[in-house]
């Protein structure tokens, strides 16, 4: 579809929501002006985007029918499309879960005619699968093990860089600058952004794909413009989680090189799901922790919201001993005593935007014409990278299917977060190391 001469798209944020949107926009509207702005260069050695990571899980094992179908669509791209296929490792998935979750996942796959790669196993039998790698796992509260041979993981950072390059080759402009506030005309229409350096970027469509930065950007923009309805309020919460990597020796690497993704969650005890990913090309095994936290602070006078730390890199490499201990406890959940012999050498705090239901927000912003929201990955968004931009484009066109438009709306009825085991439930300050204030 050719774009009208006046159409311009300014995408704020270059994670998977932003880059997938840019990619699908420039392919469907090659004559449009499409600009992506992000605080980090797309090929920087370190970025704050949740999408920038060593690896991410690619699975379609959802008890939610809509996300199951969308994840299968994305998985098909990862397994068959030459652009995406090099980054996907179809190792399978070993999910220690509850009966209800396993049953609903199986039901969704069968409804879509895709159940042949998935099976549910009793715990006693599952322990011996994959060479007994999970024989010493902690199966407390686990009722069944769901095994899906079609799932796996994606080399996330490599994939994000590659697709960004493709989008740029197709005509997308990439600007590496930090955004300070949104800009509006006298009628309240969003017309672009102002950068921290004082520059201005324009767009007839401004799409916020800003992840954990979204509530802060909207709060600052509300204060700057006087448009209080811009605020995210309770719709979006910035949350963080810790990941850790252990370098395996040659003997361990030989045993774990063909392992599946390991996940434990949604068991009879409603605790956050935790996971372990197969070794990277550098022979490093990864876990993510079970403590998901917020960081509440005053961003403008009298307004307290959760934001990533104020440092330019979100202080993502500054990991407290309490958070390192969180990773150690999770490693033993999967590998028992053997995990205690591995040295965790890399840690990172990953920040993302959450909704109480873990649903995305892909919607026009109700407070300003020309402003759109496409974010809230809630730590499960990466797997949709190949296709999510297509649905953002549909939202921009007003053609998003009604069930998705309702599920991802800016204004909708939202459940109590107490029902979401992955909701950020503690403050980051509770997990920091104590500060020594005196010497004896």
């Amino acid at each position: 579809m050719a774009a009208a001469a006046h159409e311009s798209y300014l995408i704020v944020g270059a994670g998977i929501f932003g880059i997938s949107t840019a990619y699908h926009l420039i392919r469907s509207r090659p004559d449009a002006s499409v600009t992506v702005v992000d605080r980090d260069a797309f090929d920087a050695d370190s970025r704050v985007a949740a999408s920038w990571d060593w690896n991410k899980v690619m699975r379609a094992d959802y008890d939610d029918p809509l996300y199951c179908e969308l994840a299968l669509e994305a998985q098909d791209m990862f397994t068959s499309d030459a652009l995406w296929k090099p980054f996907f490792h179809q190792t399978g998935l070993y999910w220690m879960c509850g009966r209800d979750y396993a049953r609903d996942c199986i039901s969704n796959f069968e409804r879509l005619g895709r159940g042949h790669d998935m099976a549910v196993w009793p715990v006693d039998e599952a322990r011996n699968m994959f060479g007994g790698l999970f024989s010493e796992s902690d199966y407390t509260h686990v009722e069944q093990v769901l095994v899906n041979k079609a799932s796996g993981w994606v080399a996330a950072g490599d994939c994000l860089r590659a697709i960004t390059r493709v989008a740029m080759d197709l005509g997308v402009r990439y600007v590496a600058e930090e955004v300070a506030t949104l800009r509006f005309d006298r009628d309240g229409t969003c017309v672009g952004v102002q950068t921290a350096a004082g520059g201005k970027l324009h767009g007839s469509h401004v799409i916020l794909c800003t992840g954990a930065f979204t509530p802060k950007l909207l709060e600052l923009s509300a204060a700057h413009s006087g448009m209080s309805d811009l605020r995210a309020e309770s719709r979006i919460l910035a949350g963080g989680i810790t990941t850790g990597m252990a370098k395996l020796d040659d003997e361990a690497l030989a045993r774990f090189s063909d392992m599946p993704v390991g996940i434990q969650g949604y068991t009879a005890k409603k605790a956050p799901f935790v996971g372990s990913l197969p070794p990277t090309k550098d022979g490093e095994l990864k876990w993510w922790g079970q403590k998901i936290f917020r960081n509440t602070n005053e961003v403008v006078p009298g307004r307290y919201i959760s934001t990533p730390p104020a440092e330019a890199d979100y202080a993502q490499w500054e990991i407290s001993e309490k958070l390192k201990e969180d990773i150690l406890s999770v490693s033993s959940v999967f590998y028992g005593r053997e995990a205690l012999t591995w040295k965790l050498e890399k840690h990172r705090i990953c920040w993302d935007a959450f909704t109480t239901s873990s649903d995305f927000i892909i919607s026009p912003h109700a407070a300003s014409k020309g402003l759109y929201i496409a974010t809230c990955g809630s730590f499960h968004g990466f797997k949709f990278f190949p296709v999510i931009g297509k649905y953002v484009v549909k939202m921009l066109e007003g053609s998003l299917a009604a069930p998705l438009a309702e599920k991802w709306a800016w204004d909708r009825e939202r459940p109590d977060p107490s029902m979401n085991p992955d909701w950020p439930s503690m403050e980051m300050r509770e997990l920091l190391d104590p500060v020594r204030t005196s010497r004896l």
Side-chain angles (χ1 to χ4, degrees):
M1 179 188 301
H6 65 279
E7 281 193 338
S8 58
Y9 299 87
L10 178 59
I11 300 168
V12 187
I16 66 105
F17 281 91
I19 294 303
S20 186
T21 298
Y23 172 73
H24 284 277
L25 268 173
I26 203 68
R27 287 192 64 191
S28 62
R29 304 179 179 197
D31 296 327
S33 170
V34 181
T35 299
V36 176
V37 57
D38 192 278
R39 68 174 61 201
D40 297 319
F42 81 95
D43 55 355
D45 292 334
S46 176
R47 295 182 55 188
V48 300
S51 311
W52 181 88
D53 205 343
W54 300 291
N55 46 26
K56 294 286 191 183
V57 178
M58 174 63 246
R59 65 175 180 86
D61 315 284
Y62 278 89
D63 59 346
D64 183 292
L66 286 175
Y67 286 113
C68 178
E69 188 167 355
L70 288 175
L72 283 171
E73 181 185 0
Q75 184 173 287
D76 288 344
M77 296 291 289
F78 274 121
T79 57
S80 63
D81 190 292
L83 178 61
W84 302 90
K85 193 173 181 179
F87 307 102
F88 180 48
H89 301 261
Q90 199 166 33
T91 57
L93 179 144
Y94 185 94
W95 189 311
M96 295 171 271
C97 60
R99 295 182 187 278
D100 291 347
Y101 192 85
R103 180 199 63 219
D104 291 344
C105 288
I106 291 284
S107 176
N108 288 334
F109 270 67
E110 289 178 345
R111 179 178 57 83
L112 297 167
R114 302 288 288 268
H116 57 281
D117 290 320
M118 181 186 290
V120 176
W121 298 84
V123 170
D124 289 345
E125 295 182 38
R127 285 179 184 270
N128 300 317
M129 301 179 72
F130 300 102
L133 292 180
F134 301 103
S135 61
E136 290 193 23
S137 297
D138 182 355
Y139 290 92
T140 306
H141 304 296
V142 174
E143 296 171 320
Q144 290 182 325
V145 175
L146 181 70
V147 176
N148 189 342
K149 296 179 181 179
S151 297
W153 61 278
V154 177
D158 293 343
C159 184
L160 182 59
R161 281 188 292 271
I163 305 305
T164 304
R165 286 192 183 96
V166 170
M168 292 167 66
D169 289 343
L170 291 171
V172 171
R173 177 188 177 209
Y174 191 104
V175 178
E177 290 193 47
E178 183 176 353
V179 170
T181 63
L182 301 173
R183 296 179 55 249
F184 304 90
D185 67 14
R186 62 183 59 188
D187 296 323
T189 298
C190 189
V191 295
V193 301
Q194 181 168 319
T195 69
K200 296 178 180 179
L201 297 171
H202 305 273
S204 60
H205 303 73
V206 179
I207 308 153
L208 302 190
C209 303
T210 36
F213 181 55
T214 308
K216 183 175 181 179
L217 177 58
L218 291 174
E219 197 72 39
L220 294 174
S221 299
H224 186 262
S225 66
M227 298 168 60
S228 61
D229 288 345
L230 287 172
R231 295 169 176 152
E233 300 292 1
S234 61
R235 298 176 183 88
I236 306 174
L237 180 74
I241 198 169
T242 312
T243 61
M245 305 280 276
K247 181 80 171 181
L248 301 183
D249 61 27
D250 291 344
E251 180 183 352
L253 184 59
R255 291 191 300 109
F256 284 85
S257 59
D258 295 324
M259 67 169 277
V261 172
I263 294 178
Q264 184 179 118
Y266 309 139
T267 62
K269 181 182 179 183
K270 303 300 183 183
F273 78 96
V274 293
S276 175
L277 283 90
T280 66
K281 60 186 177 183
D282 297 321
E284 294 175 321
L285 197 65
K286 173 184 168 183
W287 296 267
W288 67 86
Q290 59 186 336
K291 297 187 186 324
I292 305 176
F293 44 87
R294 55 191 178 267
N295 182 44
T296 304
N297 56 85
E298 188 178 31
V299 294
V300 296
R303 296 292 300 177
Y304 292 81
I305 62 171
S306 177
T307 70
E311 289 86 342
D313 68 346
Y314 289 177
Q316 61 183 316
W317 307 107
E318 299 175 18
I319 314 300
S320 70
E321 290 303 315
K322 288 183 179 181
L323 289 175
K324 290 179 180 179
E325 290 169 4
D326 181 36
I327 297 294
L328 282 173
S329 67
V330 169
S331 67
S332 61
V333 165
F334 292 96
Y335 309 115
R337 291 168 294 179
E338 181 168 9
L340 300 178
T341 68
W342 296 334
K343 183 179 180 181
L344 288 157
E345 298 179 336
K346 288 183 185 177
H347 295 86
R348 178 195 182 215
I349 295 178
C350 180
W351 291 90
D352 204 354
F354 284 78
T355 61
T356 62
S357 60
S358 293
D359 288 311
F360 310 147
I361 296 179
I362 299 177
S363 170
H365 194 303
S368 176
K369 183 180 179 182
L371 180 61
Y372 305 86
I373 310 295
T375 191
C376 296
S378 299
F379 288 151
H380 73 112
F382 187 94
K383 62 182 67 66
F384 302 96
F385 189 6
V387 300
I388 198 64
K390 180 178 75 172
Y391 293 95
V392 178
V393 173
K394 287 180 180 293
M395 178 272 293
L396 295 170
E397 296 172 340
S399 63
L400 190 62
L404 292 177
E406 180 181 347
K407 196 175 189 67
W408 296 338
W410 176 254
D411 285 322
R412 56 162 293 199
E413 185 176 345
R414 302 182 189 279
D416 189 307
S418 65
M419 303 302 293
N420 182 352
D422 301 314
W423 182 250
S425 58
M426 58 187 67
E427 286 289 345
M428 187 177 182
R429 62 176 174 269
E430 300 170 14
L431 302 169
L432 299 180
D433 296 328
V435 177
R436 187 173 180 179
T437 57
S438 63
R439 295 178 179 273
L440 298 176

